[in-house]
């Protein structure tokens, strides 16, 4: 597959398309290829709607950069600290721009990580270590950007 097409990113963002060029630049600079994109649709009010995108297999720094461009300032947050504790875990980052407000998404994928690495991202949240921590951590970020007028 080839490089990321900024038009695809723009279309997936709906009314938040103003950040498409900045998102595309993060993806291009990280070497992310088009086969990492996974778009999905939902059936709402009798119609299929899109504007949902996940970017698979990015490193955690790229995932945090994408979310920052989307308007989720995570610097110094427990989430950023947790992600920093396991930088080698592959991440899946994305958005749902079909919701009333933009929703950011971050998944940490650790199926091949050791049992000692899996709980690392949860430690800054002061969560007790779970026996057999799950191989996939998921966080949907609360809306942070007001809809453009």
């Amino acid at each position: 597959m080839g490089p990321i097409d900024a038009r695809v990113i723009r279309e997936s963002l709906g009314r938040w398309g103003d950040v498409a060029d900045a998102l595309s630049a993060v993806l291009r600079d990280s070497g992310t290829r088009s086969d990492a994109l996974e778009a999905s649709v939902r059936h709402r009010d009798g119609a299929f709607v899109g504007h949902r995108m996940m970017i698979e297999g990015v490193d955690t720094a790229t995932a945090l950069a994408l979310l920052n461009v989307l308007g989720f300032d995570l610097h110094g947050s427990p989430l950023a600290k947790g992600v920093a504790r396991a930088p080698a875990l592959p991440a899946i980052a994305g958005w749902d721009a079909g919701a009333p407000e933009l929703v950011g998404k971050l998944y940490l994928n650790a199926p091949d990580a050791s049992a000692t690495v899996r709980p690392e991202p949860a430690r800054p949240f002061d969560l007790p270590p779970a026996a057999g921590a799950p191989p996939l951590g998921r966080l949907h970020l609360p809306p942070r950007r007001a809809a453009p007028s």
Side-chain angles (χ1 to χ4, degrees):
M1 291 289 184
I4 302 291
D5 183 340
R7 291 175 301 167
V8 171
I9 301 300
R10 187 175 323 306
E11 289 170 8
S12 75
L13 287 162
R15 63 185 180 268
W16 286 279
D18 61 312
V19 297
D21 289 337
L23 286 172
S24 296
V26 169
L27 293 168
R28 181 185 58 248
D29 292 348
S30 71
T32 303
R33 309 289 288 171
S34 62
D35 58 347
L37 302 178
E38 182 179 302
S40 65
V41 296
R42 294 276 171 112
H43 192 262
R44 290 188 184 135
D45 301 321
F48 286 101
V49 293
H51 305 301
R52 294 167 44 92
M53 181 69 73
M54 300 303 289
I55 297 107
E56 297 185 342
V58 296
D59 60 55
T60 54
T62 299
L64 291 174
L66 290 168
L67 293 169
N68 188 54
V69 169
L70 289 169
F72 299 95
D73 184 7
L74 302 173
H75 298 296
S77 71
L79 174 62
K81 290 175 185 174
V83 168
R85 291 180 67 91
L89 291 180
I92 303 167
W95 54 87
D96 182 351
E101 295 295 328
L102 183 64
V103 175
K105 298 183 178 200
L106 174 64
Y107 301 78
L108 296 179
N109 196 355
D112 296 327
S114 71
T116 58
V117 171
R118 287 182 187 173
E120 287 303 307
R123 292 198 195 285
F125 292 97
D126 294 324
L127 299 173
L136 181 69
R138 175 177 73 178
L139 183 66
H140 290 198
L141 303 170
R144 295 282 173 104
R145 288 189 82 211
S149 43

